[in-house]
Amino acid sequence: MKTEDLIAELAAAPAAAPPTTLERRAALGVGLGVLVTLALFLWALGPRPGLAAALADPVVAAKTVLPLVLGGMALVLALRAARPGVPGGALARVVWAVPVAVAGLVLWAFAATPPEARMAAFIGHSIAVCLPAVVILSLPIYAGLVAALRSGAPVRPALSGALAGLAAGGIACGIYSTFCVEDTPLFYGVWYSLAVCLATGLGAVIGARALRW
Amino acid sequence: MSDRNDRWGDLLRRANRGDGAAYAAFLTECAPVIRNIVRARSGGGDEVEDVVQEVLLAIHAKRHTWREADPVTPWLYAIARYKTVDLWRRRKGGTPVPIEDVAEVLPDERSGEVMAARDLAGMLDRIDARSAGIVRAVGIEGESAGEVGARLGMSEGAVRVAYHRAMQRLKEMAADETGRTG
């Protein structure tokens, strides 16, 4: 086919989808994903007893708030990355404030915990639940978000997949944290971070294939 | 540069609101620039125009990802670069092998035809029924795009675009199969 003919045919096609398609689909996909994740969470784990009282302590609240904030920022970045030529902007730098804050909390807890108690606090008793639970809870959100991102045009599929994994991992981690009773940053600062990193890496690997177009 | 951005932005804005003439002007003005990007990344060759058309189809399929507030040229160039790199990687996936090493496994032409016909039938089953129907009607039975469009309730242009895309997918499938067996 000659290029001029192709252009003539494309120009005769119906008008484009509205530019907000991506955001609407992402809202729908992430919304449905969160509902599935919440249902899964309530069925398998459920919130800890005395959750509201525990959250009154800022160090405990941080383990819920920080992953949710991280997830929200990653979600915005993932949507930007799905539009060709749109830079991440200041948010791409601001997002690093979350790992810095986590590192600060870990250092603070390290200093505040007596040396003989540090190892026990760091190992805790629920690593084997925490890591798989966060990754599994992230999957419905990840699936919903990636389905939406496919209607965009991510020119770096692995990066977009990683951002989607980070968004899903952050939100899933925030939900999981309401079950977990390990309240020292020596535990959650390390193992939550590892869990979110696993979700991010998995997201990058899947995204590199699923987000090609 | 900025003039071009403003002009193309204006054309694509009107195009996305349903102005076909503005859209044709937009694509026509973009095509030479895309051709330069493709050529710069491929070193020329016969396939350049194929890739240019693929990029135009990609722009068409993803034109809703441009927001009117964003500059249009970075958007356009990002798509052109992505598609060019992606297509070139797919096409030149394998490392070259000396012909003597594969001569024995190369099929002779007749059996090749039989294989091709059988593979085509198999591959048509793996794409969606509507596209497969269009490929059968246009590519095998020789119907015109207009006739097929009238039957399916699509415009002639839409049939041609669907046919072009389906053929592209079949080519990719065939390339994958060859990559696996050969």
Side-chain angles (χ1 to χ4, degrees), chain A residues 1-3 6-7 9-11 13-19 83-86 150-153 155 157 212-213, chain B residues 16 18 20 23-24 27-28 49 53 56-58 60 62-65 67 70 75 78-79 82-83 86 90 160:
Chain A
M1 193 187 326
K2 283 164 81 181
T3 301
L6 177 69
I7 289 174
E9 280 159 22
L10 295 180
R83 293 185 188 277
V86 174
R150 286 170 59 88
S151 75
V155 290
R212 270 175 80 178
W213 50 281
Chain B
N16 277 353
Y23 192 28
L27 293 173
T28 306
E49 209 53 29
Q53 294 189 1
L56 288 171
L57 280 167
H60 178 74
K62 298 295 185 182
R63 64 201 193 282
H64 64 276
T65 64
R67 286 173 304 193
D70 292 334
W75 174 84
I79 292 183
Y82 170 75
K83 264 298 166 191
D86 191 55
R90 283 185 204 196
R160 286 199 198 175

Side-chain angles (χ1 to χ4, degrees), chain A residues 174-190:
Chain A
I175 292 172
Y176 172 81
S177 70
T178 61
F179 158 80
C180 168
V181 292
E182 313 230 33
D183 289 339
T184 164
L186 282 181
F187 180 87
Y188 73 72
V190 176

Side-chain angles (χ1 to χ4, degrees), chain A residues 37-109:
Chain A
T37 293
L38 275 176
L40 210 58
F41 171 76
L42 291 174
W43 170 70
L45 303 169
R48 66 197 276 183
L51 174 64
L55 287 177
D57 179 348
V59 176
V60 180
K63 79 176 185 174
T64 301
V65 172
L66 285 175
L68 289 180
V69 167
L70 181 66
M73 289 199 275
L75 177 60
V76 174
L77 288 173
L79 289 175
R80 286 187 190 165
R83 293 185 188 277
V86 174
L91 189 61
R93 293 185 293 277
V94 172
V95 74
W96 290 99
V98 176
V100 169
V102 172
L105 277 169
V106 172
L107 285 177
W108 168 82

Side-chain angles (χ1 to χ4, degrees), chain A residues 132-203:
Chain A
V134 170
V135 173
I136 290 168
L137 289 175
S138 78
L139 293 179
I141 306 171
Y142 179 77
L145 181 53
V146 164
L149 292 179
R150 286 170 59 88
S151 75
V155 290
R156 289 160 78 186
L159 174 72
S160 283
L163 287 169
L166 183 62
I171 297 169
C173 187
I175 292 172
Y176 172 81
S177 70
T178 61
F179 158 80
C180 168
V181 292
E182 313 230 33
D183 289 339
T184 164
L186 282 181
F187 180 87
Y188 73 72
V190 176
W191 302 111
Y192 282 21
S193 303
L194 179 60
V196 172
C197 285
L198 287 174
T200 306
L202 187 64

Side-chain angles (χ1 to χ4, degrees), chain B residues 25-168:
Chain B
F26 171 76
L27 293 173
T28 306
E29 290 186 22
C30 291
V33 178
I34 293 168
R35 200 168 289 125
N36 284 339
I37 293 176
V38 172
R39 221 176 256 146
R41 272 155 202 272
S42 69
D46 301 338
E47 291 164 320
V48 166
E49 209 53 29
D50 283 354
V51 179
V52 170
Q53 294 189 1
E54 281 298 324
V55 172
L56 288 171
L57 280 167
I59 288 168
H60 178 74
K62 298 295 185 182
R63 64 201 193 282
H64 64 276
T65 64
W66 177 68
R67 286 173 304 193
E68 297 186 354
D70 292 334
V72 72
T73 46
W75 174 84
L76 184 79
Y77 299 158
I79 292 183
R81 282 193 300 267
Y82 170 75
K83 264 298 166 191
T84 307
V85 170
D86 191 55
L87 287 166
W88 235 264
R89 200 170 36 208
R90 283 185 204 196
R91 289 182 187 200
K92 310 218 163 154
T95 44
V97 178
I99 189 75
E100 304 85 71
D101 294 356
V102 292
E104 280 182 41
V105 295
L106 287 175
D108 72 51
E109 279 181 27
R110 286 181 66 87
S111 70
E113 271 168 38
V114 175
M115 285 290 290
R118 201 181 61 199
D119 290 352
L120 179 62
M123 287 190 296
L124 281 174
D125 289 340
R126 280 157 48 202
I127 65 176
D128 62 292
R130 185 167 152 115
S131 304
I134 290 174
V135 170
R136 281 200 192 92
V138 177
I140 300 175
E141 282 145 31
E143 278 187 75
S144 77
E147 288 163 354
V148 178
R151 190 149 48 75
L152 297 178
M154 298 164 71
S155 75
E156 185 179 340
V159 171
R160 286 199 198 175
V161 172
Y163 177 70
H164 184 88
R165 281 198 190 145
M167 288 308 288
Q168 215 60 45

